[in-house]
Amino acid sequence: MENGQFTQQEIFSQPEAWAAALKVMYETRQNMLDLEPTRRYRQVLFTGCGSTYYLSLAAASLTQELTGLPARAFPSSELWLYPRSSYVDGKSLLVAVSRSGETTETLRACEAFLADKHGDLLTLTCYNDMPLAKMGQLSLVFPSGKEQSVAQTRAFSTLYLATVALASLWAGRADLFSSLARLPAAGQKVLEQVVPLTAELGPDSAIDRFYWLGSGPRYGLACELSLKMKEMSLSHSEPFHFLEFRHGPKSMVTKSSLVVGLQSSVNGSREAEVLADVKNLGGRVLDMAEAGSTVRFESCLDEAIRNVLYLPVGQLIALKRSISKGLNPDRPTNLDNVVKLS
Ligand code: F1P
């Protein structure tokens, strides 16, 4: 097996995995609508670990934006060990996300949430035979997200897409929910478009550090892509909210820095100004957006539902860099598939 074979296959099969996940969401949409979070709960909480915590950050931001219901994200360990700084009075809906469905911290967080009667639990996972799938009042299972590699790619984007579908349904946005069906083709188009660019950027040894900028519902995705770069290629990598980059981190920019912008449409010009500052400091920039950027999705989809399209680009840069450094992204250094605590 050559290095990264599993990761490569998992990244390129994301469009099919998304289509399968959207089929699950379509089939369970009535159960999801019946939850009626905006009427029945004080807040929605999302939780996970590592990648699935970053997924929770992105999901909470979009859910609140679309539904108006307060939504927050916590690492599972925080909900488990510091519950008093997490919960507010009133019934909550907890959405627990875990690829494996057996990460100890996530199981403990859910157990504590239910034991303390904070509200109802909805679980999202890839494995229906693992503990998490059996804990929730409702559980959604996405087998198409299963993967061999330790570093999440297909699992992340598939589970994340499910939360985008949930936010659309809970906001009563049937228009957004139905246009999700166009994402697999849009994702395929992005994957094909960025093969040359990522094949060039990944192995570029003149780059020694990465910064990932994203705001609003894209900040959690910037965190995830930064983690991918760390896990797969052992490179220095950090995520920031776009304009936050000026408040200190900008001092780190050198000609060997690559700043990747998950640029929005709604605040695209303000975000572009940050990237222009980076260029003026001699740093390198990769801007990704719907249009007018180096990587352009041209999906013609609403901004609220197309954020998943940023993921394959960052995943491929990390994959190519990992392989060019002689590493094996299928088996990242020091990492296990699942973190289990005694
Ligand atoms: C969570 C997680 C991953 C990380 C690594 C270890 O797993 O922290 O985010 O990349 O694989 O496990 P899960 O709870 O989503 O299965």
Side-chain angles (χ1 to χ4, degrees):
M1 286 290 284
E2 62 187 60
N3 283 356
Q5 197 154 354
F6 282 125
T7 306
Q8 169 111 353
Q9 189 276 330
E10 287 149 5
I11 291 173
F12 280 96
S13 62
Q14 288 181 108
E16 293 100 271
W18 299 352
L22 293 172
K23 191 165 175 298
V24 170
M25 291 312 294
Y26 186 76
E27 285 159 2
T28 56
R29 69 192 183 289
Q30 195 52 52
N31 289 346
M32 295 304 115
L33 285 167
D34 292 348
L35 270 173
E36 285 189 281
T38 50
R39 190 178 62 79
R40 297 176 55 218
Y41 302 102
R42 171 86 166 64
Q43 61 173 350
V44 183
L45 302 176
F46 290 86
T47 199
C49 298
S51 290
T52 38
Y53 164 56
Y54 300 136
L55 188 159
S56 296
L57 278 173
S61 176
L62 184 69
T63 299
Q64 180 163 325
E65 181 184 309
L66 289 183
T67 67
L69 190 63
R72 292 176 68 190
F74 294 91
S76 300
S77 54
E78 289 293 296
L79 279 191
W80 171 30
L81 301 175
Y82 295 91
R84 296 189 55 75
S85 53
S86 311
Y87 296 111
V88 293
D89 292 341
K91 207 174 169 192
S92 300
L93 173 64
L94 175 62
V95 182
V97 189
S98 171
R99 168 181 65 181
S100 63
E102 55 178 332
T103 298
T104 304
E105 292 143 78
T106 303
L107 300 180
R108 295 288 170 275
C110 293
E111 283 158 6
F113 175 83
L114 293 171
D116 296 345
K117 298 189 178 6
H118 285 294
D120 297 325
L121 173 64
L122 166 61
T123 64
L124 272 63
T125 184
C126 298
Y127 297 86
N128 67 355
D129 55 348
M130 288 293 162
L132 189 72
K134 302 176 173 67
M135 292 183 76
Q137 278 84 345
L138 272 173
S139 83
L140 292 173
V141 184
F142 302 93
S144 65
K146 287 180 179 178
E147 51 198 356
Q148 302 281 339
S149 301
V150 170
Q152 299 195 17
T153 51
R154 179 169 71 194
F156 181 94
S157 61
T158 299
L159 290 166
Y160 167 67
L161 188 56
T163 66
V164 174
L166 283 174
S168 305
L169 286 170
W170 290 342
R173 294 293 304 273
D175 59 323
L176 293 181
F177 184 73
S178 60
S179 58
L180 290 169
R182 289 166 42 201
L183 274 170
Q188 188 58 37
K189 192 174 132 191
V190 171
L191 278 164
E192 287 162 9
Q193 176 200 148
V194 300
V195 165
L197 170 81
T198 54
E200 183 201 322
L201 268 183
D204 185 339
S205 56
I207 303 170
D208 70 2
R209 68 191 74 174
F210 296 82
Y211 298 102
W212 308 80
L213 307 185
S215 291
R218 286 162 294 281
Y219 175 64
L221 305 184
C223 294
E224 164 60 10
L225 290 180
S226 182
L227 179 65
K228 284 300 88 73
M229 185 54 80
K230 280 193 177 93
E231 287 180 334
M232 291 194 203
S233 77
L234 307 184
S235 303
H236 291 285
S237 182
E238 280 188 279
F240 293 99
H241 294 87
F242 251 103
L243 276 65
E244 272 295 290
F245 194 60
R246 291 198 181 98
H247 299 273
K250 194 175 78 167
S251 57
M252 293 292 287
V253 171
T254 64
K255 65 181 182 343
S256 57
S257 313
L258 178 66
V259 177
V260 183
L262 284 67
Q263 210 170 321
S264 70
S265 295
V266 65
N267 289 307
S269 53
R270 286 239 179 259
E271 293 164 351
E273 286 163 6
V274 176
L275 299 179
D277 288 357
V278 171
K279 280 184 184 163
N280 293 336
L281 290 171
R284 297 171 64 172
V285 163
L286 173 63
D287 55 333
M288 306 191 279
E290 171 68 6
S293 43
T294 308
V295 173
R296 55 193 68 171
F297 306 138
E298 291 165 342
S299 67
C300 305
L301 292 168
D302 189 293
E303 181 143 75
I305 59 153
R306 65 177 188 235
N307 294 314
V308 70
L309 298 177
Y310 294 99
L311 295 169
V313 194
Q315 293 165 352
L316 280 177
I317 298 172
L319 170 71
K320 295 297 178 191
R321 185 173 174 89
S322 172
I323 293 169
S324 72
K325 289 177 73 172
L327 300 168
N328 182 7
D330 296 347
R331 294 283 168 266
T333 313
N334 304 335
L335 280 186
D336 299 315
N337 248 324
V338 186
V339 175
K340 287 186 195 167
L341 308 178
S342 54

